[in-house]
């Protein structure tokens, strides 16, 4: 409650809709900060990490188009271009011209990028488990069910 007040959010006023939405935003910011701190020594941001994970796991050995990465991560094509430029400069990904469409590139993770993800993954999982374990398993299941319900309702509204 005090945490909400520190951001100027009044609690206990019957504005549960605001408390719920602001609570999710605050929780996201806190979790994002924890993940950012973990990734910093690897010279990764959460955005770079997510792009690399998408390329590795959605693209596999054949790669994935820039448009598909954008769709998976809900990122604008221009932001994706800038992020891929950085990842390519850091030699973490390769751009390959698409033979069927010269306007599109196929993105593949480089050997260096794959090794980086393999080294980051165990610690990343440890951070997620630590943060998740702040709730009991039953609370995690309830929270997940409520979030999925809310997401479904918002998407169909």
């Amino acid at each position: 409650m005090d945490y909400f007040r520190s951001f100027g959010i009044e609690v206990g006023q019957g504005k549960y809709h605001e408390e719920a939405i602001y609570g999710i935003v605050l929780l996201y910011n806190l979790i994002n900060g924890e993940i950012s701190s973990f990734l910093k020594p690897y010279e990764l941001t959460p955005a770079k990490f997510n792009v690399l994970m998408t390329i590795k796991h959605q693209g596999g050995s054949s790669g994935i188009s820039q448009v598909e990465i954008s769709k998976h991560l809900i990122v604008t094509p221009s932001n994706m271009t800038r992020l891929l430029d950085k990842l390519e400069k850091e030699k973490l990904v390769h751009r390959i011209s698409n033979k069927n469409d010269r306007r599109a590139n196929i993105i593949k993770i480089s050997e260096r990028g794959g090794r980086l993800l393999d080294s980051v993954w165990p610690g990343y999982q440890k951070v997620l488990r630590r943060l998740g374990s702040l709730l009991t398993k039953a609370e995690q299941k309830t929270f997940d069910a409520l979030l999925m319900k809310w997401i479904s309702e918002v998407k169909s509204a």
Side-chain angles (χ1 to χ4, degrees), residues 31-136:
I31 290 171
N32 192 55
E34 292 279 332
I35 291 170
S36 294
S37 294
F38 169 74
L39 293 172
K40 190 173 184 170
Y42 298 95
E43 298 181 17
L44 287 174
T45 62
K48 285 181 178 181
F49 179 75
N50 289 336
V51 170
L52 290 171
M53 291 296 288
T54 299
I55 295 167
K56 181 175 181 177
H57 295 289
Q58 299 297 317
S61 61
S62 57
I64 185 170
S65 74
Q66 186 169 323
V67 171
E68 286 300 310
I69 299 169
S70 295
K71 286 180 186 176
H72 281 288
L73 297 176
I74 314 168
V75 177
T76 63
S78 62
N79 285 341
M80 183 56 54
T81 298
R82 284 191 293 274
L83 198 48
L84 288 172
D85 287 344
K86 290 177 188 176
L87 292 171
E88 188 175 37
K89 185 177 179 180
E90 295 169 18
K91 300 187 183 336
L92 298 173
V93 300
H94 301 292
R95 279 190 173 116
I96 301 162
S97 296
N98 184 342
K99 295 173 187 167
N100 299 326
D101 184 353
R102 290 181 16 212
R103 297 168 297 166
N105 292 312
I106 298 298
I107 312 298
K108 292 185 177 186
I109 195 157
S110 69
E111 188 176 321
R112 181 173 187 234
R115 283 193 316 267
L116 177 61
L117 283 180
D118 290 345
S119 69
V120 170
W121 185 250
Y124 177 78
Q125 282 295 104
K126 190 174 179 181
V127 170
L128 295 186
R129 275 193 296 279
R130 179 178 56 81
L131 294 171
S133 72
L134 298 172
L135 298 176
T136 67

Side-chain angles (χ1 to χ4, degrees), residues 3-20:
Y3 195 75
F4 279 114
R5 285 191 184 103
S6 72
F7 286 96
I9 300 165
E10 298 209 17
V11 294
Q13 303 296 316
K15 297 179 181 178
Y16 303 113
H17 58 287
E18 287 183 15
E19 290 177 34

